[in-house]
Amino acid sequence: MVQIGKSVVIKGELSGSEDLTIEGQVEGKIELRQNVLNIGPNSKIKAQIFAKQVVVQGEVIGNVTASEKVDIRDAGSVDGDITSPKVAIAEGAHFRGSIDMQRGGAKPAEPAKVAAPPAPAPAPAPAPAAKA
Amino acid sequence: MSESARGGFASRFLRWGKGGEGRGAREERGEPLTTKAFGRFLSYLTAREGPVLLDLGPVVGQNVAFFGERLGCKLFVEDLFVDLDRAAKEGRGAELPDLLRGRITREDASVDGVLVWDLFDHLDRPAAAVLGEQLARVLRPGGVLLGFFASGAPTPGASPTHMRYQVVDEKTITQRPAPAARPRQPALNNRDIARTFSGLTVSESFLMRSQVREILFRKPQR
């Protein structure tokens, strides 16, 4: 695994085909589409991120797209939109943005079957049917 | 006691007792609550294609998995308790109506469901009106909003807390107090709650055993 140290600041596009741990600062774009990106506890990332898996223990500002999983640990922080079939957020983690788990590349899980609601008494609209 | 009630209790008991979990584990997870309105909320939500959900409570990983993976929702998380706490710590509680104005940046009629949990228990009437108006605006026609509203007066001298809710299934959620900087405000009566969300109609209202009112609002179809 490749590591980018605490004192390193990168501005621009970062791409590769190995797993990567970032302890420093990156501003721009990170592409590791087949690999794991580990964002260390002291790192500050201001970038668009594309990876197979992303583990966030530091601070991320930007959108995160992962084909497998995004994991925000308890000290991690993400301000941005997440697209991934699996998202884990630990208690104490900060997150602000949207989460879309349907466009992350994996088949979505079967939606829960919930009984159709009764039609509201005065409502002119018909009650919607439950999704199969 | 009905068969279903016994079944519900038994499953909850087994779930909470699984693996020899003691009181500590239960406290960590929170107090289980049986909810009727939440199931109705989900019914409306899952009847829609690719539902969009706005969650105004603290980010809870299990809820993200429930709504995102299980229900296939696109989820927007806006933890407004952070805003409330910040305002309280900075002594700007009276400015909340101004601070909340324009806080919800979603487009008009772009959201199918809104979860406010017990957020409105922590807002005074002017702030509640400002936020309620924005939430009614972002809901799509036919969209639903679910909130929990305390009935009694806040306990004098109690440490301020808000509830952290975790979804177990469509009939059960758990609640756990989390420290807050802004205390609960005097309870709103039903009429005030309905006025807070002008443009929405009360679709369902239930009183929980804990005397908390769970109220489901719906935006009328055009």
Side-chain angles (χ1 to χ4, degrees):
Chain A
M1 181 181 284
V2 180
Q3 184 159 340
I4 292 175
K6 286 179 188 173
S7 61
V8 179
V9 178
I10 296 173
K11 288 191 180 183
E13 192 170 323
L14 183 61
S15 62
S17 52
E18 286 181 79
D19 293 351
L20 174 68
T21 295
I22 300 175
E23 297 289 353
Q25 295 180 38
V26 177
E27 213 172 290
K29 186 177 178 185
I30 302 170
E31 272 199 82
L32 296 169
R33 292 189 185 261
Q34 305 301 320
N35 300 90
V36 178
L37 173 65
N38 192 358
I39 295 165
N42 299 308
S43 58
K44 291 191 175 181
I45 310 294
K46 210 170 181 179
Q48 299 261 77
I49 296 173
F50 301 89
K52 187 171 79 172
Q53 285 185 33
V54 182
V55 180
V56 181
Q57 299 175 82
E59 188 183 310
V60 175
I61 298 173
N63 298 340
V64 180
T65 302
S67 56
E68 285 189 0
K69 187 177 181 182
V70 175
D71 186 355
I72 310 176
R73 302 281 170 84
D74 56 358
S77 166
V78 174
D79 269 273
D81 299 338
I82 294 175
T83 306
S84 173
K86 275 198 175 295
V87 177
I89 302 178
E91 190 166 341
H94 166 82
F95 171 71
R96 186 176 172 194
S98 73
I99 297 172
D100 192 341
M101 297 164 101
Q102 302 308 301
R103 290 187 298 188
K107 193 181 168 191
E110 185 73 16
K113 286 177 181 158
V114 185
K131 190 187 271 186
Chain B
M1 184 186 289
S2 71
E3 210 43 55
S4 61
R6 272 200 299 273
F9 174 77
S11 66
R12 280 204 307 281
F13 178 79
L14 288 171
R15 184 162 54 238
W16 290 98
K18 204 182 283 179
E21 287 174 341
R23 190 177 164 198
R26 283 199 299 277
E27 282 175 354
E28 197 173 299
R29 284 184 178 184
E31 190 69 28
L33 297 172
T34 302
T35 165
K36 290 182 180 171
F38 184 66
R40 304 282 168 86
F41 176 81
L42 294 182
S43 302
Y44 286 117
L45 202 60
T46 54
R48 297 184 163 236
E49 194 66 38
V52 177
L53 176 67
L54 176 60
D55 184 345
L56 300 184
V59 57
V60 175
Q62 290 85 348
N63 295 354
V64 169
F66 183 87
F67 289 112
E69 280 183 51
R70 193 170 161 201
L71 299 189
C73 294
K74 179 167 184 179
L75 185 62
F76 288 91
V77 180
E78 297 274 2
D79 184 356
L80 290 194
F81 286 102
V82 173
D83 297 49
L84 266 54
D85 281 356
R86 191 186 302 124
K89 284 174 186 165
E90 293 172 356
R92 301 174 70 193
E95 296 172 39
L96 263 179
D98 289 335
L99 295 172
L100 290 174
R101 208 177 305 279
R103 174 64 177 78
I104 305 297
T105 55
R106 306 260 73 79
E107 288 177 10
D108 293 4
S110 61
V111 169
D112 298 295
V114 179
L115 280 168
V116 301
W117 305 110
D118 64 341
L119 179 70
F120 279 76
D121 283 348
H122 297 262
L123 299 178
D124 54 25
R125 288 180 193 194
V130 166
L131 186 58
E133 188 185 329
Q134 292 178 71
L135 298 178
R137 174 183 64 77
V138 300
L139 264 184
R140 287 187 178 132
V144 282
L145 179 148
L146 178 62
F148 298 140
F149 301 88
S151 294
T155 311
S159 301
T161 57
H162 65 78
M163 287 297 172
R164 193 179 169 88
Y165 293 96
Q166 183 182 316
V167 178
V168 178
D169 56 38
E170 60 265 30
K171 291 179 183 163
T172 318
I173 55 176
T174 64
Q175 64 171 15
R176 188 156 47 91
R182 183 175 169 85
R184 188 157 78 75
Q185 303 296 299
L188 297 168
N189 63 38
N190 288 344
R191 193 189 301 164
D192 288 335
I193 293 171
R195 281 181 184 159
T196 296
F197 299 99
S198 64
L200 307 183
T201 56
V202 174
S203 173
E204 312 265 357
S205 179
F206 302 98
L207 185 64
M208 290 171 149
R209 273 188 187 177
S210 57
Q211 300 302 306
V212 169
R213 293 162 289 173
E214 42 176 357
I215 302 181
L216 184 67
F217 294 87
R218 197 162 187 219
K219 188 166 185 175
Q221 300 278 4
R222 286 195 183 109

